[in-house]
Amino acid sequence: MNLSSGINAEYGDVFAFHPPVCTVFVVIIMNTSHVITAEEKVDSILITSDRIDVSEAVKCVQHDGAGAISTFIGTTRDNFQGKKVIKLEYEAYTPMALSEMKKICVRMREKWSLVKIALWHRIGEVGVGETSVIVAVSSVHRKEGLEAVSYGIDEIKAWAPIWKKEYYEDGSMWKDNCESCHHHQHKEKPHT
């Protein structure tokens, strides 16, 4: 297994991930009545060149206090706009992608009452039918979990510096990762 690591430039933290470790970032949330422990609120963020296992992501977010586990599983399809897709290849600026994914977890927790979150993305070659990204959450009720999962994948595509190249029978091309950019107020960077 490969080890992914990075340095959080904002705080100087050094972190490393070795799948299927589930306790990557621990978030302790203060409540007016009590502190929710790290065992109850855990975020798992992973970028790896190894295959990612959906069942491991689900195990990672399981909690006895959660009535729902919601997931989004992105896989490589075999076609795009009439072209036969052979494989995908993902590249990432890993330290920044991990930092952005951590911020996405924070925003998800601000919007919904979630118990555990897993944001996992694969890099390197991903064959047809293989999993490239998993967003999994546990929550008390299904509605907040389903909404959070949809938001999570949209935010990963919009903000995490992860790029996708599609390989077709007749060539290849880099793809824009932000399918949901019309939902965001991206500003063009000035040309320098």
Side-chain angles (χ1 to χ4, degrees):
M1 292 208 154
N2 291 334
L3 184 69
S4 295
S5 65
I7 297 174
N8 183 336
E10 293 179 54
Y11 304 105
D13 300 328
V14 177
F15 43 86
F17 311 102
H18 191 277
V21 176
C22 292
T23 54
V24 176
F25 290 108
V26 177
V27 178
I28 299 175
I29 298 177
M30 299 289 284
N31 187 316
T32 55
S33 59
H34 69 282
V35 175
I36 298 171
T37 67
E39 290 178 12
E40 295 172 312
K41 298 277 186 175
V42 176
D43 298 339
S44 173
I45 298 169
L46 174 70
I47 294 177
T48 182
S49 59
D50 294 321
R51 288 183 183 219
I52 50 179
D53 185 336
V54 174
S55 64
E56 288 298 319
V58 169
K59 284 180 195 175
C60 202
V61 299
Q62 283 179 324
H63 188 277
D64 289 343
I69 293 176
S70 304
T71 60
F72 170 81
I73 303 160
T75 59
T76 302
R77 63 180 177 268
D78 67 357
N79 68 83
F80 177 74
Q81 296 182 345
K83 295 180 179 185
K84 183 174 180 172
V85 175
I86 306 299
K87 65 181 177 180
L88 299 179
E89 184 178 345
Y90 289 91
E91 290 186 10
Y93 176 45
T94 302
M96 187 175 180
L98 293 169
S99 177
E100 289 300 320
M101 291 164 74
K102 182 179 177 182
K103 291 175 189 175
I104 292 165
C105 287
V106 170
R107 292 194 300 270
M108 290 170 72
R109 290 192 179 282
E110 289 171 349
K111 293 177 175 290
W112 297 280
S113 179
L114 303 174
V115 181
K116 295 183 178 184
I117 302 171
L119 303 180
W120 293 4
H121 209 298
R122 187 169 166 192
I123 55 175
E125 290 188 9
V126 182
V128 170
E130 293 180 10
T131 302
S132 56
V133 62
I134 299 172
V135 177
V137 302
S138 55
S139 56
V140 175
H141 302 289
R142 73 180 181 276
K143 184 177 180 185
E144 58 198 356
L146 292 169
E147 290 173 355
V149 164
S150 179
Y151 175 87
I153 189 61
D154 285 349
E155 292 294 282
I156 289 170
K157 287 181 163 282
W159 301 107
I162 300 171
W163 303 278
K164 174 173 68 175
K165 188 174 190 178
E166 286 192 352
Y167 287 84
Y168 312 107
E169 283 183 315
D170 62 350
S172 64
M173 83 185 246
W174 286 101
K175 300 278 301 213
D176 184 1
N177 200 30
C178 189
E179 296 169 358
S180 62
C181 281
H182 63 278
H183 295 296
H184 301 281
Q185 299 298 320
H186 294 308
K187 294 184 180 180
E188 288 195 31
K189 294 180 180 175
H191 298 283
T192 54

